Structure formats: C-alpha cells, structure tokens
Amino acid sequence: MRKSANGHATFEALEGDRSRVLGSLEFATVTRLLPVGSAAIDGGRAAVIDLGGVTGTDSAGLALLIEWLSVARAAKRSLRYENVPAQMRQLAHLSEVDELLLAGSSKPSEQVGS
C-alpha cells in the first residue's frame, strides 16, 4: 500500500447504511474526512464503512477510524469496517487497538454479514 501522490481522500455514502472511503488516510486528509464521516454515522448512513479503496494510511488514519467509532458510540449507532487494509491492521495491532478497530470487520477476502 502506498500513499497517494496528491494526498486525496473522499468519503462516499452508498445505498442504505453503507459508505466507503477512497484514497489515502493520512495527516493531510483526515481533517477533511472527520466531519463528513461523523455526520454520516450520526445520521445512520454509515453503519458499514468499506475501506477497500484506501490506498495508503498512517497513524492519523487509524486515529480517524477510532474517532468514528467514538462518534458511533455517542450516537448509539453500530459501526463496523469492511476490507480493512493490511497496513491499517498492522498499525492497529502495533498500537494495541486491533480488537477495538477490527471487531466485526472483514479482511479484503472475507465478507461478514450484518
């Protein structure tokens, strides 16, 4: 996994309660994504966030995902991540937050039912 050349990332609401993140989750991009994802979670449009389109990440990306879990908890909403990239799983493991981040999540090759 590599960082995007232009430091671009987007949050897209899909059908129902599904959303996805595309691009690089890094210090330069997460501040733009935080309010968009938080609003989608709070509004019930992001119970599942697909991370299969994430092209790069750093600790700021991990912090963003943990913050979104906090937003979901405060709003009494469920949230799980699908297709968590290997680099993100490694960062979560090294930071000892893998159980928190990966609860109910699926790896790129797995599908987990709701």
Short mmCIF file of all heavy atoms in Angstrom, two decimals, residues 6 13 23 36-38 49 51 60 63-64 74 78 83 96 106:
data_model
loop_
_atom_site.label_atom_id
_atom_site.label_comp_id
_atom_site.label_asym_id
_atom_site.label_seq_id
_atom_site.Cartn_x
_atom_site.Cartn_y
_atom_site.Cartn_z
N ASN A 6 -1.23 12.82 -4.39
CA ASN A 6 -1.80 14.14 -4.15
C ASN A 6 -2.45 14.27 -2.78
O ASN A 6 -3.06 15.28 -2.49
CB ASN A 6 -2.83 14.48 -5.25
CG ASN A 6 -3.99 13.51 -5.28
OD1 ASN A 6 -4.06 12.57 -4.49
ND2 ASN A 6 -4.91 13.73 -6.19
N ALA A 13 -21.17 8.23 0.69
CA ALA A 13 -22.33 7.48 1.18
C ALA A 13 -22.86 6.65 0.02
O ALA A 13 -23.00 7.14 -1.10
CB ALA A 13 -23.40 8.45 1.69
N GLY A 23 -8.95 6.59 -1.31
CA GLY A 23 -7.76 7.45 -1.26
C GLY A 23 -6.88 7.14 -0.06
O GLY A 23 -6.93 6.06 0.51
N VAL A 36 -17.37 14.83 7.71
CA VAL A 36 -18.24 14.19 6.72
C VAL A 36 -18.64 12.80 7.20
O VAL A 36 -19.83 12.43 7.20
CB VAL A 36 -17.54 14.11 5.34
CG1 VAL A 36 -18.41 13.39 4.33
CG2 VAL A 36 -17.18 15.50 4.85
N GLY A 37 -17.67 12.02 7.63
CA GLY A 37 -17.95 10.68 8.14
C GLY A 37 -18.76 10.72 9.43
O GLY A 37 -19.67 9.92 9.62
N SER A 38 -18.44 11.67 10.29
CA SER A 38 -19.17 11.79 11.56
C SER A 38 -20.65 12.09 11.32
O SER A 38 -21.52 11.51 11.97
CB SER A 38 -18.55 12.89 12.43
OG SER A 38 -17.23 12.54 12.79
N ILE A 49 -18.59 0.86 6.87
CA ILE A 49 -17.70 1.68 6.05
C ILE A 49 -16.69 0.75 5.39
O ILE A 49 -15.92 0.06 6.06
CB ILE A 49 -16.98 2.77 6.87
CG1 ILE A 49 -18.01 3.71 7.51
CG2 ILE A 49 -16.00 3.54 5.99
CD1 ILE A 49 -17.42 4.77 8.42
N LEU A 51 -13.40 0.06 3.48
CA LEU A 51 -12.07 0.66 3.36
C LEU A 51 -11.26 0.05 2.22
O LEU A 51 -10.06 0.27 2.13
CB LEU A 51 -11.32 0.53 4.68
CG LEU A 51 -12.01 1.14 5.90
CD1 LEU A 51 -11.24 0.82 7.17
CD2 LEU A 51 -12.19 2.64 5.73
N ALA A 60 -2.56 8.85 11.63
CA ALA A 60 -3.70 9.77 11.60
C ALA A 60 -4.94 9.06 11.03
O ALA A 60 -6.06 9.30 11.48
CB ALA A 60 -3.38 11.01 10.79
N ALA A 63 -6.28 6.95 13.80
CA ALA A 63 -6.97 7.81 14.77
C ALA A 63 -8.35 8.22 14.25
O ALA A 63 -9.31 8.28 15.02
CB ALA A 63 -6.13 9.05 15.06
N LEU A 64 -8.47 8.47 12.95
CA LEU A 64 -9.76 8.82 12.36
C LEU A 64 -10.77 7.68 12.56
O LEU A 64 -11.91 7.92 12.97
CB LEU A 64 -9.60 9.12 10.87
CG LEU A 64 -10.90 9.35 10.10
CD1 LEU A 64 -11.56 10.66 10.53
CD2 LEU A 64 -10.64 9.33 8.61
N ALA A 74 -21.32 7.38 20.79
CA ALA A 74 -22.04 8.51 21.38
C ALA A 74 -23.44 8.67 20.78
O ALA A 74 -24.37 9.09 21.47
CB ALA A 74 -21.24 9.80 21.18
N SER A 78 -24.43 1.53 15.49
CA SER A 78 -23.42 0.49 15.26
C SER A 78 -22.51 0.96 14.12
O SER A 78 -22.93 1.74 13.27
CB SER A 78 -24.08 -0.84 14.91
OG SER A 78 -24.76 -0.74 13.69
N ASN A 83 -13.12 -4.64 4.69
CA ASN A 83 -11.95 -4.56 3.81
C ASN A 83 -10.86 -3.66 4.38
O ASN A 83 -10.29 -2.83 3.67
CB ASN A 83 -12.36 -4.12 2.41
CG ASN A 83 -13.36 -5.07 1.80
OD1 ASN A 83 -13.18 -6.28 1.82
ND2 ASN A 83 -14.45 -4.53 1.27
N GLU A 96 -2.02 -1.59 19.71
CA GLU A 96 -2.83 -2.35 20.65
C GLU A 96 -4.30 -1.90 20.67
O GLU A 96 -4.94 -1.88 21.71
CB GLU A 96 -2.22 -2.33 22.05
CG GLU A 96 -0.84 -2.95 22.08
CD GLU A 96 -0.21 -2.97 23.46
OE1 GLU A 96 -0.77 -2.38 24.41
OE2 GLU A 96 0.87 -3.58 23.57
N SER A 106 -14.19 -7.14 8.30
CA SER A 106 -13.78 -8.20 7.39
C SER A 106 -12.48 -7.80 6.72
O SER A 106 -12.21 -6.64 6.50
CB SER A 106 -14.85 -8.45 6.34
OG SER A 106 -15.02 -7.33 5.52
#
